[in-house]
Amino acid sequence: MRRKLVAGNWKMNGSAESIRGLLEGIKAGAAEVAAVELAVFPPFVYLELVEQQLSGTAIAWGTQNLSEHASGAYTGEVAGPMLQDFHCAYVIVGHSERRTLYGESDEMVARKFAAARKVGVKPILCVGETLEERDQGVTESVVERQLKAVLDLEGIEAFNDAVIAYEPVWAIGTGRTATPQQAQDVHAFIRAKLAEQNPTVAAETRILYGGSMKAANSGELMAMADIDGGLIGGASLDAKDFLAIARSGC
Ligand code: 13P
């Protein structure tokens, strides 16, 4: 049985003050949605604050990115062992904003996935097609290529300690959500690809949906057979909205 995961990707938003308030709100309502696992992903500089606020609670935390390297002369980067220092449970790798705005290739994303696993931090691997790719009918081949880079480097067993997030780029921050069936089709495709290599791992791997998920659509999305939670951007910045999404997955 796959426990649903509702994860808040805060992106480059928030301040020390707003984050304290947001976490207070989430903590206050977390017990009601205990059937679902909650996780939050602050900007790096607020990691210590988040750890202080969430230690001893059932809410997990992590970061939105990490370096593929473990240490060294990489100005501005943050390494896996540093995430381990702050007890991150998860780290997002290969978010489409990293792929498109910062030129992260499939191979680099795979190396980041490996760097996370090396320090015992579970990667949340983001995959997804652009609108152009969907219109060209190549959604499956794009997602397969993104997945394959990680499978080739790390092997299927690596997904015992990883999560996948399907985030169609055209649905991110646009208010345009994939329909439950559109999302389910891609989730089922991803699971089938994993199953070709190991059906047990495929059956246990959580696949989250991301892209304009909000309380108004999260229930029907999470009711689909292969949708195991959400990776939430905008709606995760409001405790009430974030908890309402989690409630719809209970
Ligand atoms: P929105 O929920 O703001 O569309 O963002 C989704 C996302 O990119 C989460 O990683």
Side-chain angles (χ1 to χ4, degrees):
M1 198 38 202
R2 300 184 297 265
R3 185 176 177 215
K4 288 200 168 56
L5 170 61
V6 171
N9 175 9
W10 296 349
K11 307 192 180 182
M12 198 176 71
N13 293 295
S15 62
E17 193 188 347
S18 74
I19 287 171
R20 275 196 196 91
L22 175 54
L23 291 175
E24 281 313 315
I26 296 173
K27 284 196 282 186
E32 282 171 46
V33 297
V36 165
E37 183 181 2
L38 297 178
V40 296
F41 295 83
F44 286 121
V45 290
Y46 298 118
L47 192 53
E48 184 168 16
L49 168 63
V50 168
E51 185 190 20
Q52 283 166 3
Q53 302 281 312
L54 295 184
S55 284
T57 73
I59 305 163
W61 61 91
T63 61
Q64 303 164 15
N65 183 27
L66 86 166
S67 170
E68 62 191 284
H69 305 289
S71 69
Y74 301 103
T75 301
E77 292 290 287
V78 174
M82 299 171 187
L83 307 191
Q84 198 180 28
D85 248 354
F86 291 93
H87 304 102
C88 291
Y90 297 102
V91 57
I92 297 169
V93 299
H95 190 280
S96 66
E97 286 151 19
R98 302 287 326 164
R99 291 178 190 263
T100 59
L101 301 173
Y102 300 97
E104 293 192 7
S105 65
D106 296 333
E107 291 70 29
M108 181 190 274
V109 171
R111 291 194 295 274
K112 290 185 173 204
F113 183 102
R117 290 206 340 112
K118 208 170 203 167
V119 292
V121 178
K122 293 189 180 80
I124 300 181
L125 171 69
C126 298
V127 297
E129 82 289 2
T130 62
L131 185 56
E132 202 183 3
E133 289 163 339
R134 174 158 286 263
D135 288 345
Q136 287 167 357
V138 295
T139 296
E140 291 189 349
S141 62
V142 167
V143 168
E144 184 174 4
R145 191 199 70 220
Q146 293 168 334
L147 200 57
K148 185 175 181 298
V150 175
L151 286 166
D152 285 353
L153 187 70
E154 287 286 273
I156 182 70
E157 308 295 330
F159 285 89
N160 278 322
D161 292 307
V163 175
I164 296 172
Y166 168 59
E167 297 206 307
V169 178
W170 47 272
I172 296 176
T174 58
R176 185 177 161 193
T177 321
T179 66
Q181 194 57 52
Q182 279 176 325
Q184 166 60 26
D185 288 348
V186 181
H187 283 233
F189 173 77
I190 292 170
R191 203 178 300 287
K193 283 287 139 198
L194 298 178
E196 282 175 8
Q197 299 200 16
N198 186 323
T200 311
V201 173
E204 286 169 9
T205 300
R206 290 183 292 184
I207 308 175
L208 314 183
Y209 168 80
S212 300
M213 196 190 245
K214 43 190 178 291
N217 57 35
S218 55
E220 51 178 13
L221 283 159
M222 286 195 271
M224 303 307 282
D226 290 293
I227 302 185
D228 306 311
L231 184 54
I232 325 297
S236 72
L237 297 169
D238 180 289
K240 270 206 200 78
D241 291 347
F242 186 59
L243 288 165
I245 293 171
R247 201 169 303 117
S248 73
C250 288

